[in-house]
Amino acid sequence: MFRQIPITRLIIPLILAYAFAWLTFSNEKVFWYFYTFTALFLMSLAYYSIKIEDELKTFHYFILSIAFGALTYALLFIGFKLVDLAPFMSTKSINSFVNKFGPSSIWHYLLLLFIIAPGEELFWRGYIQQQLKKYLPPVFAIIVGAALFGLSFVFSGFWLGILAAFVVGLVFGFLYEWKKVCH
């Protein structure tokens, strides 16, 4: 059931992803440049390493993207409200993270929409999750892939962000398996 994981197809790309994540979060002044570069690099690594099978029409992808983007936003919004209601937690860390690394111009939003989000999805779901499926059952591959994605935010020092990335990774991981876009 669990086979040995080859270093070149899984471990080295993960090391590169975490090294770039460390660089990305190490200096807030160049954060958006490094985040964009990281997404482009990981996207190109995934693109040249996997076969993409486009089974759905573009309009269908567009509708699904809007629906699941809204679902993700709703999940994060509910999580934010739960943190705000919890007596032992505070939204100060969320506000601090957003003030430090959050988008502050239209260009940041455009980078997120057209480069960073697609790059992360292609790498973490399209490449890492698919590599994990070679060695783990699909459900475990989704869970491990989501955990690895969440851990890529460890260098931000924002533990709620790590948890949020894990939850989003689970949602998108199951969605990805449901739609089977890349093989």
Side-chain angles (χ1 to χ4, degrees):
M1 179 191 275
F2 299 95
R3 291 184 237 147
Q4 187 175 5
I5 299 173
I7 196 164
T8 57
R9 301 283 292 171
L10 187 61
I11 304 300
I12 291 174
L14 282 172
I15 290 170
L16 289 171
Y18 292 130
F20 284 130
W22 174 74
L23 283 172
T24 297
F25 287 108
S26 66
N27 187 344
E28 64 189 82
K29 292 177 184 167
V30 294
F31 171 79
W32 285 98
Y33 300 107
F34 274 90
Y35 202 20
T36 304
F37 171 78
T38 298
L40 285 169
F41 177 80
L42 297 176
M43 185 182 343
S44 64
L45 178 73
Y47 183 77
Y48 287 109
S49 300
I50 59 174
K51 179 182 177 197
I52 298 175
E53 295 181 12
D54 193 5
E55 297 174 358
L56 297 175
K57 295 183 187 297
T58 302
F59 184 73
H60 194 178
Y61 275 130
F62 183 70
I63 297 300
L64 279 174
S65 298
I66 290 173
F68 282 97
L71 172 67
T72 302
Y73 181 82
L75 284 172
L76 294 175
F77 181 78
I78 291 167
F80 181 82
K81 290 300 181 185
L82 289 174
V83 166
D84 203 26
L85 292 175
F88 55 89
M89 299 175 99
S90 171
T91 56
K92 287 181 185 177
S93 66
I94 297 170
N95 293 330
S96 174
F97 178 81
V98 170
N99 287 336
K100 191 173 185 179
F101 297 112
S104 61
S105 74
I106 189 69
W107 295 108
H108 295 161
Y109 289 101
L110 292 173
L111 288 171
L112 280 169
L113 183 64
F114 292 111
I115 296 174
I116 295 168
E120 285 182 344
E121 289 311 304
L122 190 59
F123 180 75
W124 291 104
R125 258 56 72 199
Y127 182 75
I128 295 297
Q129 183 172 305
Q130 300 315 305
Q131 289 298 310
L132 289 168
K133 278 179 36 183
K134 293 177 181 178
Y135 310 100
L136 301 171
V139 171
F140 290 120
I142 293 168
I143 294 167
V144 171
L148 292 170
F149 174 60
L151 286 174
S152 71
F153 289 88
V154 76
F155 302 106
S156 71
F158 179 49
W159 71 271
L160 285 173
I162 297 166
L163 179 62
F166 174 71
V167 171
V168 168
L170 287 175
V171 170
F172 286 160
F174 282 107
L175 172 65
Y176 192 89
E177 287 305 311
W178 175 50
K179 284 299 166 189
K180 299 229 186 250
V181 179
C182 298
H183 296 94

